[in-house]
Amino acid sequence: MTSTTPTTAQHAYGSGPDRGIGFEERVRRVQDAAYRIRHHVLTMGEVQGQGYVGQGLGVADILAAAYADQLRYRADDPHWEERDRFLLSIGHYAIGHYAALAEAGIVPVAELETYGSDDSRLPMSGMASYTPGMEISGGSLGHGLGVAVGMALGLRLQGRDERVFNLLSDGELDEGSTWEAAMGAHHHQLGRLLALVDVNALQADGKTETVLRTEPLLDKWTAFGWFAQRVDGNDVSALLRAYDEAEVHSELTGRPSVILCDTRIGRGVPLLENREKAHFMRIEESEWQLCRDELTAGHEGANR
Amino acid sequence: MTTAPASGTADAPSATPKLKTSAMIASFADPGQKTAPAPFGHALAAAAETDPRIVGLTADLGKYTDMHVFQKAHPERFFQMGMAEQLLFGAAAGMAETGLVPFASTYSVFAARRAYDFLCLDIAEPGLNVNIVGGLPGLTTGYGPSHQATEDIAIFRGMPGLTIVDPCDSIDIEHAVPQLAAAAGPSYLRLLRGNVPTVLDEYDYTFQLGKAAILRGGADVVFVSSGLMTMRALQAAEELAVHKIDVAVVHTPTIKPFDAETVLAEIDTPRLAFTLENHTVVGGLFETVASAATRRGLGKRVVPIGLPDEFLDAGALPTLHDRYGLSRSSIVARVLSELG
């Protein structure tokens, strides 16, 4: 083997943004975390021989920024009352989320090999009842933001200020329920709510623009009363700046925030980035090591 | 012609003016009957005094589900979600995830048909203590199929872990609300609202979640009923006594989990057995009783009194209850004809 899954994080996570170390160092930490998350995604993908590897690689930077920089949590106590909530409504992105939970120390790295196997705590589609750190059961799309609205309302009513993040996809913007929730969040002024939209421009039947046009996204969210930003979701510096800006705007009672993240499916592995885009990607047995090698080479090249 | 369009037919004007559909929520109380105003709203407001976890949500139907009474008593614990039922249930789930006990009200048709996926996956699958309150269950409005939830129980019975309660009167509602708040999992309450008849205070009975109760004994016929049809069953039983027919009434306000023990003991007798429900004969109380009887191996005939497997007419409620066999007189006629 020319490269293997790298070791786990050197830093304890879960205290929120560490502004004492400077922005550049925060970016480096998140990039390193994203790199390990991508390796974890490949590990799980190889177990199944296929799957939502492209999506997992695409959102790795968004997840890394959340778990390695922004969120407050205790890895050894996933139900800690004062944790920020991270809600995955796109159940099939579980492969990416499990990778992030492993990076965060909430799920053991060794357990990732059970992904999608019988009796595993890591089913193909993410469910709260199976996995520590999973707040909700996603999968039926268009649910996460509504539940996030309720959580933010419930926390605020009880005098608490934990933040609620919801990672959703641009495909989920087809669902009317997402927009019901968008209106609800604005109406109730849920400033501690942050929506992260993975705009990979692809859904099950093809390109988003050919399935159901959702653009102009920034205008739509702004018109719904949200503090909306749009960034390259694979540019960690841009992501962290947007996260920081959203945090500045996160009054207990105020506009909810959304970060629209343009991402590239398969990001970090050129072989997959350039493959014909498919919602459910097939990868040959011989290709997994090649994927790992490309990922490692790319990360080392960037750090040189 | 004085007939309102909503209740009119193609017939020529007749000497007797036709009944009118009237308001969305028609009262099914008999003239002069004892009633209690907004029993659900008052019960929820009272329960919230001692249980700080209780919150109330609605989807633009606070006034029509008696939630406004709770809103007035506990304004800071009331949440208007707008005419957005998917958000109503999703947000209720999110609030329950933070330790609150939400009661979320809308009409039964919207709860069952429009936002099922959200009730199923956000609330029932995680087993959250969210209590769905559905107005206009069965045939309690003359507005037609858009508002008549004739199949809500049929839709909900298949949902794992969902408790289904079909109360008879104001007393049932008053006792059900705190018990639903105290019980751990999700529930669906078929709401009777406005001036709701008070009936069961005349019987030696109190609502117990999950339990059926024998309200009166009878040697010839046994009625198994739920919801407002228990009131009609009791009225029909009194009228049948005049015909020298002795009728027992078994009230089973909890449809799921079903108290098969109590009900089957009453069914498994030589008496002619009926089920009476404000719901289609498909998938409701009748089929709940029938499946329990079959499981037990009872080869017993049970006669269903309920709504037909049809989209129902619009019109005035008393007209429709007569037309579809829910009125006291049609129950009496049905029993007499069965007894030949």
Side-chain angles (χ1 to χ4, degrees):
Chain A
M1 267 194 172
T2 50
S3 73
T4 55
T5 302
T7 52
T8 47
Q10 301 299 305
H11 319 282
Y13 295 144
S15 307
D18 182 356
R19 300 215 161 83
I21 59 173
F23 188 75
E24 290 311 313
E25 180 57 24
R26 285 173 61 206
V27 170
R28 250 183 73 86
R29 281 190 186 180
V30 170
Q31 284 170 336
D32 289 349
Y35 168 62
R36 287 185 292 266
I37 286 171
R38 288 192 164 93
H39 268 290
H40 294 329
V41 168
L42 292 174
T43 300
M44 284 180 276
E46 190 169 10
V47 171
Q48 288 286 336
Q50 57 187 356
Y52 302 101
V53 173
Q55 289 90 334
L57 294 171
V59 292
D61 301 300
I62 300 169
L63 289 164
Y67 279 91
D69 188 89
Q70 291 284 315
L71 292 169
R72 287 165 180 81
Y73 57 91
R74 289 179 178 167
D76 58 355
D77 182 11
H79 296 289
W80 178 45
E81 205 176 46
E82 292 169 37
R83 72 193 183 282
D84 292 330
R85 271 68 168 173
F86 188 96
L87 278 58
L88 181 77
S89 45
I90 22 180
H92 59 292
Y93 279 55
I95 187 170
H97 200 185
Y98 299 151
L101 292 173
E103 169 66 12
I106 297 170
V107 167
V109 171
E111 196 172 335
L112 297 178
E113 299 205 345
T114 70
Y115 170 63
S117 305
D118 287 349
D119 304 321
S120 170
R121 296 198 298 174
L122 311 177
M124 287 289 280
S125 188
M127 287 180 274
S129 45
Y130 282 70
T131 316
M134 276 287 187
E135 297 282 356
I136 61 165
S137 297
S140 179
L141 300 179
H143 285 239
L145 196 58
V147 177
V149 165
M151 277 192 190
L153 275 172
L155 291 168
R156 188 172 69 188
L157 178 68
Q158 294 169 81
R160 285 147 55 182
D161 66 351
E162 291 88 49
R163 295 177 73 193
V164 181
F165 289 18
N166 173 220
L167 176 60
L168 61 164
S169 67
D170 54 345
E172 272 190 292
L173 305 183
D174 291 3
E175 297 281 2
S177 56
T178 298
W179 298 105
E180 289 185 10
M183 280 190 284
H186 172 253
H187 177 81
H188 290 283
Q189 289 289 291
L190 301 175
R192 301 298 276 169
L193 177 58
L194 172 64
L196 303 156
V197 184
D198 174 34
V199 185
N200 62 21
L202 186 75
Q203 47 194 111
D205 267 350
K207 290 181 179 172
T208 298
E209 64 181 9
T210 67
V211 177
L212 188 63
R213 270 191 301 278
T214 50
E215 297 285 0
L217 290 177
L218 200 61
D219 293 348
K220 277 202 174 93
W221 286 92
T222 304
F224 274 72
W226 287 55
F227 172 60
Q229 306 175 79
R230 187 163 193 165
V231 298
D232 177 345
N234 296 124
D235 176 342
V236 170
S237 299
L239 267 174
L240 273 189
R241 274 193 295 272
Y243 268 109
D244 283 354
E245 194 62 26
E247 195 196 13
V248 169
H249 282 78
S250 65
E251 301 92 356
L252 201 53
T253 300
R255 274 190 301 171
S257 292
V258 60
I259 306 175
L260 302 156
C261 309
D262 291 295
T263 63
R264 184 158 189 170
I265 287 189
R267 173 72 186 198
V269 179
L271 177 76
L272 304 180
E273 284 184 34
N274 300 320
R275 179 160 291 185
E276 192 194 351
K277 294 292 176 281
H279 177 69
F280 198 78
M281 205 177 257
R282 175 81 212 172
I283 297 166
E284 299 305 320
E285 210 177 318
S286 60
E287 292 178 324
W288 291 100
Q289 189 55 45
L290 190 57
C291 289
R292 275 193 285 270
D293 292 344
E294 285 193 355
L295 175 59
T296 302
H299 184 67
E300 286 172 355
N303 283 348
R304 206 165 282 147
Chain B
M1 171 128 177
T2 55
T3 307
S7 61
T9 68
D11 295 348
S14 59
T16 358
K18 296 197 172 185
L19 292 177
K20 294 178 173 58
T21 296
S22 177
M24 166 77 76
I25 301 176
S27 175
F28 57 87
D30 297 326
Q33 189 175 25
K34 183 162 65 166
T35 62
F40 165 69
H42 289 290
L44 188 63
E49 294 291 341
T50 53
D51 188 344
R53 303 170 306 158
I54 290 176
V55 290
L57 298 81
T58 192
D60 195 26
L61 286 171
K63 290 180 198 164
Y64 299 87
T65 56
D66 290 345
M67 186 62 88
H68 67 294
V69 176
F70 174 84
Q71 178 185 7
K72 199 172 171 199
H74 303 281
E76 72 294 342
R77 288 156 75 180
F78 167 78
F79 298 91
Q80 175 61 264
M81 302 317 293
M83 201 196 298
E85 292 78 14
Q86 300 173 108
L87 174 61
L88 175 74
F89 290 170
M95 294 179 99
E97 295 274 9
T98 71
L100 298 171
V101 175
F103 281 72
S105 74
T106 179
Y107 284 156
S108 294
V109 281
F110 307 135
R113 297 174 186 160
R114 195 180 191 103
Y116 180 92
D117 193 33
F118 294 77
L119 174 45
C120 187
L121 293 175
D122 300 346
I123 295 169
E125 194 271 338
L128 297 172
N129 186 353
V130 173
N131 303 285
I132 305 301
V133 180
L136 303 184
L139 178 54
T140 47
T141 176
Y143 268 43
S146 64
H147 287 71
Q148 293 161 343
T150 52
E151 82 293 22
D152 56 339
I153 293 175
I155 289 171
F156 281 140
R157 267 180 67 216
M159 194 184 297
L162 182 73
T163 295
I164 302 172
V165 175
D166 190 20
C168 165
D169 73 343
S170 65
I171 312 258
D172 256 358
I173 291 172
E174 189 186 312
H175 287 105
V177 166
Q179 291 183 37
L180 290 172
S187 74
Y188 169 64
L189 176 68
R190 295 185 101 205
L191 177 71
L192 306 172
R193 55 79 63 198
N195 290 320
V196 176
T198 302
V199 175
L200 298 176
D201 56 339
E202 291 176 21
Y203 298 83
D204 180 22
Y205 160 85
T206 8
F207 175 89
Q208 270 185 284
L209 192 57
K211 294 288 178 204
I214 299 153
L215 298 180
R216 56 176 281 166
D220 305 317
V221 167
V222 57
F223 285 167
V224 176
S225 61
S226 69
L228 70 89
M229 288 306 284
T230 292
M231 176 181 101
R232 294 276 160 77
L234 291 166
Q235 294 168 338
E238 282 173 25
E239 197 171 323
L240 284 162
V242 178
H243 296 269
K244 308 279 185 242
I245 298 165
D246 195 12
V247 181
V249 176
V250 183
H251 177 43
T252 173
T254 309
I255 304 292
K256 190 183 177 186
F258 188 63
D259 184 0
E261 208 56 47
T262 303
V263 172
L264 291 185
E266 293 302 305
I267 292 278
D268 191 15
T269 64
R271 298 173 295 183
L272 182 58
F274 292 81
T275 54
L276 299 91
E277 61 190 307
N278 171 31
H279 184 272
T280 162
V281 291
V282 176
L285 177 63
F286 168 64
E287 290 192 355
T288 301
V289 170
S291 67
T294 303
R295 245 172 224 272
R296 185 68 63 85
L298 303 183
K300 170 79 182 182
R301 178 162 179 261
V302 177
V303 181
I305 291 178
L307 298 168
D309 180 20
E310 290 169 19
F311 290 106
L312 307 183
D313 295 341
L317 209 52
T319 310
L320 298 178
H321 277 199
D322 268 336
R323 185 173 301 164
Y324 296 114
L326 300 193
S327 65
R328 173 191 3 201
S329 57
S330 44
I331 297 166
V332 169
R334 183 75 189 274
V335 172
L336 292 176
S337 104
E338 284 292 337
L339 288 172

